[in-house]
């Protein structure tokens, strides 16, 4: 096994003159590489300092002048002596005349060394790491700069998303999302009471085989009492959105495509339950991930909706003199009470059990019953697709029409922001997600103002 050679003890660092300990490879004050310092020769000369050398030494020392002669002593240069190392190998530059000019006793083969060096304070980012052996490579610096806390602007953010200085939780990527795709736009917000956003959405636009424009929006709400509701909503929204954008250009009828999208979303959520226990936070008592889903597809002459759960779709005509309408029926305890004639709608939704859902996507769902419906509005307007985080603050179609901006069909992104702001102003007790689509679907190239 190779070993690091032992260094001769140096009394102080050649760079900063700080004391060093025997065996140190680097100066602890300035980081100077002590291994590069040549070992000082022992104070035991191999040649006598005065007089002639021992017999056979080969050193031709000048004989002393006779006493009283008055003549100056002879000059003998260091390079006139054949210096050798411990193996009797001649040392470089110790041949007669090496490193000197004629008639000179000064060597010119080395630069003049000043008596003192002006020292600069060491840069911690550039100073060598004393823990590294000579020749070792320092670890690469992280590519991304450290995140600073948005609250105190001083502390670093740890891997869990909290400030190391003030402990403030940092905003997550999903805390507030806005997206626009052609004529459709959506906004999602964590709200004011929840610690994370368990909603997700997907928006997009494409064309039918005959070139007819079509826009779609999917909104999913994670079931908070289930495991990993945020993962469930994200998986469902992506699967449903991808299915619609793949089926519609092939000529699949929008209502059939919506049914296929909900089935694909259900399978994506079911798959989460089959992942290893480590993905379920290693808690054996946790149940399967679950979420609700609602979506809308808009063409120039057709409006298709689909849902499972209690997220909703509202129709609001541009002419507010015409009636607005809710296009979905909740899969909830309250809706069942109203449908059975046991309670009025006001009584049912005032009950604490009102939001207990009877339909959802997840491995532990009783059975999958996708609801789909198609409509042919006779006038232009806007379609609002939302979670209960919004409709809790604008429950009836008339209330939704009051808070939706009048130019919603022309400015869907602005309108979605307004609706999310309405929910936050009302208390923001839940996550809020809203998508707004104009009807009829505008031609390609049209977008939000």
């Amino acid at each position: 096994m190779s070993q690091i050679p032992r260094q001769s003890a140096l009394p102080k660092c050649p760079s900063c003159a700080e004391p060093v300990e025997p065996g140190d490879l680097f100066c602890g004050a300035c980081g100077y590489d002590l291994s590069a310092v040549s070992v000082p020769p022992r104070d035991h000369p191999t040649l006598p300092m005065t007089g002639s050398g021992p017999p056979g030494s080969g050193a031709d020392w000048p004989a002393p002048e006779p006493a009283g002669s008055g003549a100056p002593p002879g000059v003998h240069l260091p390079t006139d002596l054949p210096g050798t190392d411990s193996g009797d190998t001649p040392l470089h530059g110790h041949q007669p005349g090496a490193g000197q000019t004629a008639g000179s006793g000064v060597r010119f083969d080395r630069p003049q060394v000043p008596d003192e060096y002006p020292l600069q304070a060491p840069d911690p980012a550039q100073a060598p790491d004393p823990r590294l052996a000579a020749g070792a490579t320092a670890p690469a610096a992280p590519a991304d700069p450290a995140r600073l806390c948005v609250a105190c602007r001083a502390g670093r953010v740890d891997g869990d998303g909290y400030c190391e200085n003030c402990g403030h939780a940092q905003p997550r990527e999903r805390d507030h999302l806005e997206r626009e795709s052609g004529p459709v736009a959506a906004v999602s917000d964590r709200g004011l009471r929840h610690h994370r956003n368990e909603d997700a959405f997907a928006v997009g636009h494409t064309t039918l085989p005959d070139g007819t424009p079509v826009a779609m929006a999917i909104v999913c709400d994670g079931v908070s009492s289930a495991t990993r509701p945020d993962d469930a909503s994200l998986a469902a929204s992506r699967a449903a959105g991808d299915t619609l954008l793949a089926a519609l250009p092939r000529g699949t009828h929008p209502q059939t495509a919506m049914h296929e999208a909900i089935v694909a979303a259900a399978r994506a959520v079911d798959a989460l339950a089959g992942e290893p226990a480590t993905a379920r936070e290693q808690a054996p008592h946790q149940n399967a991930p679950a979420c609700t889903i609602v979506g809308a597809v808009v063409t120039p002459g057709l409006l298709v909706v689909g849902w499972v759960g209690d997220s909703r779709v509202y129709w609001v005509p541009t002419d507010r003199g015409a009636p607005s309408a809710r296009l979905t029926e909740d899969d909830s305890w309250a809706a069942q009470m109203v449908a059975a004639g046991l309670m009025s709608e006001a009584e049912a939704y005032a009950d604490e059990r009102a939001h207990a859902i009877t339909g959802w996507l997840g491995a532990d769902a009783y059975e999958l019953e996708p609801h789909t419906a198609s409509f042919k509005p006779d006038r232009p307007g806007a379609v609002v697709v939302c979670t209960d985080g919004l409709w809790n603050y604008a429950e009836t179609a008339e209330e939704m029409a009051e808070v939706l901006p009048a130019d919603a069909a022309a400015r869907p992104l602005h309108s979605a922001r307004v609706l999310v702001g309405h929910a936050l102003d009302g208390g923001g007790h839940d996550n809020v997600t809203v998508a707004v689509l104009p009807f009829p679907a505008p031609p390609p190239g049209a977008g939000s103002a």
Side-chain angles (χ1 to χ4, degrees), residues 339-412:
L342 300 177
M343 303 176 71
S344 67
E345 186 171 356
E347 293 173 340
Y349 283 100
D351 193 282
E352 61 181 6
R353 297 166 290 181
H355 290 279
I357 58 176
T358 57
W360 62 90
L361 305 183
D364 59 354
Y366 299 119
E367 58 182 335
L368 179 62
E369 295 183 359
H371 310 294
T372 61
S374 61
F375 304 89
K376 294 183 177 181
D378 59 355
R379 64 197 68 201
V383 180
V384 177
V385 185
C386 64
T387 61
D388 59 347
L390 170 63
W391 66 252
N392 278 331
Y393 302 97
E395 186 172 336
T396 67
E398 293 73 21
E399 292 173 336
M400 187 65 68
E402 290 179 2
V403 298
L404 183 69
D407 58 352
R411 304 177 64 192

Side-chain angles (χ1 to χ4, degrees), residues 87-111:
D88 293 331
T89 302
L91 297 176
H92 175 72
H94 277 256
Q95 293 77 18
Q100 64 177 1
T101 58
S104 171
V106 182
R107 292 178 61 106
F108 292 97
D109 59 344
R110 293 183 182 178

